[in-house]
Amino acid sequence: MAADFPKPFTTVDLAIFAVHDGVLNVLLVQRPDAPGEPFAGLWALPGGYVDVVRDTDLEACARRKLREKTGVQSPYLEQLGSWGSATRDPRGWSATHVHFALIDGGGVALSKGANAADVGWFAVNTVLRRPRLAFDHAEILRAAVERLRGKAEYTSLPAFLLPEPFTLPELQQAYEVVLGRPVDKSGFRTRMLAADFLVETGQIDRGTKRPPMGYRLKRRTGPVVFPRTFSPRNGA
Amino acid sequence: MAADFPKPFTTVDLAIFAVHDGVLNVLLVQRPDAPGEPFAGLWALPGGYVDVVRDTDLEACARRKLREKTGVQSPYLEQLGSWGSATRDPRGWSATHVHFALIDGGGVALSKGANAADVGWFAVNTVLRRPRLAFDHAEILRAAVERLRGKAEYTSLPAFLLPEPFTLPELQQAYEVVLGRPVDKSGFRTRMLAADFLVETGQIDRGTKRPPMGYRLKRRTGPVVFPRTFSPRNGA
DNA sequence: GAAATAGTGTCTGTAAGACATTATATT
DNA sequence: AATATAATGTCTTACAGACACTATTTC
């Protein structure tokens, strides 16, 4: 009696972020142009149907799709939330479980998927200003960026956007790119070192005059939570 | 070509919280005892399948289920996240979209549902200590309580547990019940009034010696975010 | 030694936390 | 007047924010 009523489609979508040339980017895929395909030709967040045979759970499904699109094995991955309604997909009632991932911008080889004509990185600010995305992905992307910005105010999350080892100036720049505003150097350093989530790896040659100290994360399982936000005045 | 592959079950579950006699409670329903029913007789979070005909989206589905169980019309409702895997329900691959709701403990008439033999309030601390819940609901409840406690550290969320108008001592007690620790009165009052989310409604007779000022929320759409957490020393 | 980048020091304002005190009502 | 609860004041400490300064390397 349980299995013979109409079920919604179940999908997993991904908001994959990386920093390239000092700009926060998001990975988008182009919808196929075949007849009958919804939102043909439009760009969308990568994702797709849950495969009840291959995917043991939602996170495994998200990791599989991330691997298929980027080849990245161990990103920072976090569930963002779910969006489901009768109208978001013209093919019928559907619900998507959205995850967001942070990967480092260096050397990610984008692979063409079977169902996605093209894959590319897009500046978040540009996409959000002219949001011509398929489905409700503009709204989802907005929520993902909000979560990332919000957490950057009081966690070490932006560190997952950098390849290890990284330097404190580089980490500061990652914060500034995500937050979209400059951050005071002295306070930043105090804060990061006090949070006790970095391990020194020795000086690094970055081609600069004075060589900076290199750091790696003490634990890659998740971000550290700071006791206060960056600028209490603005409110979070 | 799209509709003829196996789809997971799609459900919505609810973690409904209320404070009764100074204790944080959660609403649970008893699984039916009929043969073939999974986790027969065990207690579970209220919820069930998405009805693709009646439910326009996930939130509407959550509101419908909340109404069916409690009669409450306009609670604080927030999405918690989703849990999906091949094994969490013996009937097959399933994904649940969990929402959590805060309602005030006064005068909620519990109605018996058709598919749930019984409904009742249970102290959260007791349930979490001996978590004999159906499905993965113990894990989900733990996540919901964590979210509630976490947000209580830096938002006005616990105010949604009170019937209006309420007093500042009552609000403080709601915080203490949720956080599980005492809170300094002076700092608490300063904080609440500075956050500018309360409106005076005139003095209230609570049967106490000195009558306290009554307050209601300026906006019931969502909590206000404080710039800092309650006890920075502990970390969030 | 000039220049550029990395890293540290100092001052100040704000606000949280602890605790004491005052205010307003009932009996 | 005594008592109980509501509300406010005061003091200390911590720390973020701003900005100036020192340190270390290359050319």
Side-chain angles (χ1 to χ4, degrees):
Chain A
M1 63 143 260
D4 56 351
F5 55 85
K7 297 180 199 165
F9 295 99
T10 299
T11 63
V12 166
D13 288 316
L14 282 164
I16 307 170
F17 295 106
V19 173
H20 298 122
D21 303 320
V23 174
L24 183 66
N25 282 4
V26 62
L27 187 80
L28 297 178
V29 301
Q30 197 167 20
R31 298 287 308 162
D33 233 330
E37 285 286 348
F39 301 99
L42 276 187
W43 292 88
L45 296 173
Y49 297 113
V50 167
D51 185 329
V52 300
V53 177
R54 299 166 64 195
D55 300 320
T56 59
D57 58 26
L58 291 174
E59 188 178 316
C61 176
R63 287 190 185 279
R64 172 173 67 83
K65 288 176 189 303
L66 181 76
R67 234 182 302 117
E68 288 171 1
K69 290 285 182 272
T70 67
V72 171
Q73 292 287 344
S74 58
Y76 174 77
L77 191 66
E78 162 179 331
Q79 188 180 100
L80 177 65
S82 55
W83 277 256
S85 80
T87 54
R88 58 181 296 276
D89 188 322
R91 290 166 294 191
W93 225 107
S94 76
T96 183
H97 303 261
V98 183
H99 294 245
F100 90 80
L102 305 183
I103 65 179
D104 73 81
V108 171
L110 296 181
S111 57
K112 315 270 178 177
N115 195 32
D118 213 339
V119 185
W121 290 103
F122 294 80
V124 163
N125 287 336
T126 310
V127 177
L128 284 185
R129 214 171 310 125
R130 289 181 287 97
R132 293 260 166 268
L133 294 186
F135 306 104
D136 46 5
H137 287 188
E139 179 191 338
I140 292 173
L141 176 61
R142 206 172 293 279
V145 172
E146 201 171 311
R147 168 84 66 99
L148 175 58
R149 293 228 166 101
K151 285 206 169 182
E153 295 281 359
Y154 63 97
T155 74
S156 63
L157 203 50
F160 291 94
L161 290 164
L162 297 174
E164 295 179 323
F166 52 82
T167 72
L168 280 179
E170 286 164 357
L171 182 57
Q172 181 174 349
Q173 203 218 347
Y175 270 88
E176 291 175 337
V177 165
V178 170
L179 293 174
R181 67 165 191 267
V183 168
D184 180 79
K185 180 169 51 167
S186 174
F188 180 81
R189 301 175 70 91
T190 314
R191 208 185 163 103
M192 294 302 135
L193 297 176
D196 192 38
F197 69 101
L198 297 173
V199 183
E200 292 191 357
T201 62
Q203 286 196 334
I204 298 185
D205 184 7
R206 283 287 189 256
T208 61
K209 303 288 183 174
R210 175 177 173 178
M213 176 59 66
Y215 295 90
R216 62 171 179 81
L217 295 180
K218 196 174 268 185
R219 300 169 64 236
R220 289 196 64 84
T221 51
V224 165
V225 178
F226 307 139
R228 305 201 182 172
T229 63
F230 260 101
S231 20
R233 270 169 259 298
N234 305 339
Chain B
M1 61 143 264
D4 54 353
F5 56 86
K7 298 180 200 165
F9 294 100
T10 299
T11 63
V12 166
D13 289 315
L14 283 163
I16 307 171
F17 294 106
V19 173
H20 298 122
D21 304 319
V23 174
L24 183 67
N25 283 5
V26 63
L27 187 80
L28 297 179
V29 301
Q30 197 167 19
R31 299 286 309 162
D33 233 332
E37 285 286 347
F39 301 99
L42 275 188
W43 292 88
L45 296 174
Y49 297 112
V50 167
D51 185 329
V52 299
V53 178
R54 298 165 66 195
D55 301 320
T56 59
D57 58 28
L58 292 173
E59 187 179 315
C61 177
R63 288 190 185 278
R64 172 173 68 81
K65 289 175 189 304
L66 181 76
R67 235 183 302 116
E68 288 170 0
K69 290 284 181 274
T70 67
V72 171
Q73 293 286 343
S74 58
Y76 174 77
L77 191 65
E78 160 180 334
Q79 188 180 101
L80 177 65
S82 54
W83 277 255
S85 80
T87 54
R88 59 181 296 276
D89 188 321
R91 290 167 293 192
W93 224 108
S94 77
T96 183
H97 304 262
V98 183
H99 293 244
F100 90 80
L102 305 183
I103 66 180
D104 73 82
V108 171
L110 295 183
S111 57
K112 314 269 178 177
N115 195 33
D118 213 339
V119 184
W121 290 103
F122 293 81
V124 163
N125 287 336
T126 309
V127 178
L128 284 185
R129 216 172 307 124
R130 288 182 288 95
R132 292 260 166 269
L133 295 186
F135 307 103
D136 47 4
H137 287 189
E139 179 191 338
I140 291 173
L141 175 61
R142 205 172 294 279
V145 172
E146 199 172 313
R147 168 84 64 100
L148 175 58
R149 294 228 167 102
K151 284 206 170 182
E153 294 281 0
Y154 64 96
T155 75
S156 64
L157 202 51
F160 291 95
L161 290 164
L162 297 173
E164 296 179 322
F166 52 83
T167 71
L168 281 179
E170 287 165 356
L171 183 58
Q172 182 175 348
Q173 205 218 347
Y175 270 89
E176 291 175 337
V177 165
V178 170
L179 293 174
R181 67 164 191 268
V183 167
D184 180 80
K185 179 167 54 167
S186 174
F188 180 81
R189 300 177 71 92
T190 314
R191 209 185 160 102
M192 293 302 137
L193 297 176
D196 192 40
F197 69 101
L198 297 173
V199 183
E200 292 191 358
T201 62
Q203 284 196 335
I204 297 184
D205 185 6
R206 285 285 189 255
T208 61
K209 303 288 185 174
R210 175 176 174 179
M213 176 59 65
Y215 295 91
R216 62 171 180 80
L217 294 180
K218 196 174 268 185
R219 301 170 61 238
R220 289 196 65 83
T221 49
V224 165
V225 177
F226 307 139
R228 305 198 184 174
T229 63
F230 260 100
S231 22
R233 270 169 262 297
N234 305 340

